[in-house]
Amino acid sequence: MWSFIKTSYKWLIISLKLTGAAAILGLIALIAVVMTAIIQGPPSLTTEQNTLIYGSSGEVIGEDKGAEERYWIAIEDMPQSIKDATLAIEDRRFYNHFGFDFKRIAAAALTDIKQMRMAQGASTITQQYARNLYLSHDKTWKRKLYEAMYALRLEIFYNKDEILEGYLNTIYYGHGAYGIEAASRHYFSKNAGELSLTEASMLAGIPKGPSYYSPLNNEEKAVSRQGQILAEMERHGYITSIEKEEAVEASLNYADGQNEKIQETAPYFQDEVISEAARLLGVDRESIQTGGYHIHTTLNEEHQDTLEEMAARHLPDGHDVQTAAVVMDSRTGAVTALIGGRNYEESPFNRAVQAKRPIGSTIKPLLYYSALESGESPVTMRESKPVEFPVEGKSDPYVPTNFNDQYADKPITMAQALAVSDNIYAVSTHMDIGPEKLVETMKTFGLEGAFEPHPSLALGYSSISLYDMITAYGKMVKGSDSLEGHTIKKITDRHEHVLYEYEPVILKDDPVDQETAFTVTHMMTGMFDPALDASYASVTGTPVNGKLTRMYGGKSGTTDTDSWMIGFSPQFVTGVWIGYDEGGRPLETFNDHRYAKSIWADTMEDIHETLPSAAFVPPPGVKGVYIDPDTGYLAGPDCPQERLVYMEKADIPKKVCGGSEEKDINDEFEDDPWFKDVVDWFF
């Protein structure tokens, strides 16, 4: 603005030296125009730009855009040659005027008068930038007046470097490329900062007539204009005669009009990133795609490659069964990999996020959390036998069944019921503690919906998205509501100003009880523990147990139409869904029900291969004890099997299996070192 004030003062002195009413009226008009421009304030420099998406390693994994290629780079990142070439041919007095070159205007006006039409332009870079930002390119006097006002506002409120930066980032270079960065990528497959003098002088000539001077359309005319630009650069001292000759003689290697495309990585993940960014910034998806944002994500490309490879390996070609899968850091909620279907090009519908399907027995960990909160324990005994449950308001009872109609026909523990996925135990628990308890727990773990406290809720007949279920499991593993699934670490604008940065939530009153959550987390390791096999059923992890080399927890779920597997380590939680897009279409073969576990097991083993073994650390409020899975009593020398179970000290059974004696629990644990519970489980 200071240069503008000095120039205005100069014209004011000249006007005062003149005499006559015309000079006074002109001065008044000038003041009125300037005051109007100041009152209107600084015009926005925002234009559509490509949004870049980065993986957790910092590498670009994709970009979103509108109809054109647009990027924004700082003037410091542009080569001096493109700035000099542009100034030499477009506006060599740019740094010495305040937006209008009156010598050029006078010469152009004389030509227009002679030809009685708008034949010749005299626009400065500032005027051209104003036109690119706000106006059409019609050659009318009305447009010229608007352009002049915008140019005046640009000069008042922005310095010359800011105006030149904006101009070089928005001028059209043909073939859909707006701005010097897009042009450099399009014509030479390189970033603008790498342009040579020869390349820069070629590009500087294109904006005068993008279709006419594009070297890809007419190389002869483009080379002729390049020579004119180099001659102007030499004449005005931008380059030496030697530099000019070297630039003329240098050859150019074009990219044949083909943009260097970034390999499309994790397209379903990127879709969720755009949706999440729109929610975080409170704008629509299109605004994110064309806003020139830099979005730094949580994607781990190795995890993504593994997840895609395992899904492709286990799902047969020619089979239209679909899948969705998510890998999440169980300590932070950062999503490291995501697939929403088998082929994005064929179907961009994101089944991991957008689809809500019946979740089956994956609901049971939340049910048993409710039961523990209601005063039960992992060794609470219930009978596993056919039962009819009355339904309020209905004449017919609810009659659940176990897989293959197999039952224990005797009491079993909660730990064993979860490991073998006993449906009778689950529904009995649900009805005994009150069906509304599970509804409350689902809300505690972030699951939103109109869930009815029906007996069938205990078996997962409500529809929830995979993404939400994995987040709920993550809260369970962490033992805190503070974990939230997210794909974005940081969002900046094109000038690297931080607009959003992820910060974990610090809760004063956490609705998730850490001790209860840990007890359930440990019980879920039982699906892979043969010690919890029942006489009528094996633990549900048996089909993949041979693949696993470390401790995991989890829960599978099966309905007629859907197959789920959600499991975790202390480091990561991964979920896989298998089913058909047609909601009522049943899974067709036995293998359809096994794909989810196979994909899950191979994915978890691969992403953990280079990681050190880790243990879940029990909170102070629970103790680890060895129990007899069959009776729920403390394990003793006469028990054929034993299983480590964590529970509150008050819930530890006193009876020992195979005998009548009771143990004094206080004596049993009073000398335990603080780390014993971790060591017991870990080893």
Side-chain angles (χ1 to χ4, degrees), residues 316-320 342:
D317 292 335
H319 195 341
D320 57 350
R342 297 182 67 177

Side-chain angles (χ1 to χ4, degrees), residues 8-23:
S8 298
Y9 176 76
K10 172 185 173 183
W11 281 96
L12 176 61
I13 297 301
I14 294 173
S15 299
L16 290 175
K17 290 179 180 179
L18 300 175
T19 59

